[in-house]
Amino acid sequence: TASGAAAAGGGGGGGGGAPAALRALVDDIHREPRDRHAFVVIHNLDGPGLRGDVSLLSELAACPQVHVIASIDHAMAPLLWDSGDAARFRWQYFNATTFQPYIVETSKAPSLLVDVFKSGVVTAGAGTVLRSLVLGAQEVFKVLAEHLLEDEECEGVAFAHLYRMCRERYLVRDEGVLRQHLVEFVDHQLLRVRPASDNSGELLTIPMSRADMQAVLEDLQAARAE
């Protein structure tokens, strides 16, 4: 992954606003002998799960006996820290870019974690792409996904059938408009065209698990409600 590793030594002082528990921990550390050191390693400091805790972590990093070593994935990650956080962290930056895909990081992880990771990536990526498309394209995808979800045995939808469903809902005026939407879906890997098992023609399907399809539809609905 594109990761920049940064190591912070201890610093002086710390700003307010930290919860009482963290403040108590910081006070306890200050009372420890100066020759005792703690090293904290944080993977993906700029990840969504830690962004709200940056100031708290900077309070901890400001302790002279605490040394934080962290990796970041985004080149603009330092924008997440205000001047106070940056002063407490006192980062020293080292470029440790690997240029490897994210899935490499999880190649040795338990299969359950890998499945969750892949599912999250699929859902987030598909949701982002769909929200960038016109409303008509979003509705066409919704019609196709809902039809596939209704029948667990459904291996895909014929173009003519999808066109008929979209026409009934006044989503497209002709086949050309529908084909334009489908081309966009294929380009963004949201749609796959496959031959029918009985050789009756080509079928349109969405290359996602049923759970991912449902999650994408819920994400799309939530985005519209905002």
Side-chain angles (χ1 to χ4, degrees), residues 79-155:
L79 294 178
L80 295 172
W81 310 315
D82 60 27
S83 58
D85 294 333
R88 288 187 289 272
F89 275 128
R90 298 201 307 166
W91 294 118
Q92 295 291 323
Y93 291 94
F94 301 91
N95 185 2
T97 307
T98 65
F99 300 105
Q100 294 295 315
Y102 285 101
I103 198 64
V104 173
E105 295 185 18
T106 62
S107 60
K108 304 299 182 182
S111 59
L112 178 60
L113 294 180
V114 174
D115 291 342
V116 170
F117 172 80
K118 289 180 179 177
S119 179
V121 169
V122 168
T123 302
T128 300
V129 170
L130 285 170
R131 288 193 297 272
S132 70
L133 300 179
V134 297
L135 183 60
Q138 296 177 17
E139 287 296 325
V140 169
F141 182 88
K142 181 181 176 183
V143 169
L144 177 58
E146 288 178 343
H147 184 81
L148 293 172
L149 288 171
E150 287 175 1
D151 183 3
E152 294 187 11
E153 302 300 324
C154 180
E155 60 176 345

Side-chain angles (χ1 to χ4, degrees), residues 2 33 35 65 67 73 78 85 94 107 136 175-176 184 200 218 226:
D35 60 349
Q65 303 101 312
H67 310 276
D73 283 330
D85 294 333
F94 301 91
S107 60
E175 291 187 3
E184 285 188 293
S200 60
E218 292 173 357
E226 293 178 354

Side-chain angles (χ1 to χ4, degrees), residues 1-7 40-54 57 68-78 80-81 89 91 96 101-103 105-106 117 121:
T1 60
S3 300
V40 181
V41 179
I42 304 174
H43 176 60
N44 197 10
L45 180 63
D46 55 326
L50 290 176
R51 290 178 185 176
D53 300 320
V54 169
L57 293 171
V68 178
I69 302 171
S71 68
I72 57 176
D73 283 330
H74 200 288
M76 305 304 291
L80 295 172
W81 310 315
F89 275 128
W91 294 118
Y102 285 101
I103 198 64
E105 295 185 18
T106 62
F117 172 80
V121 169

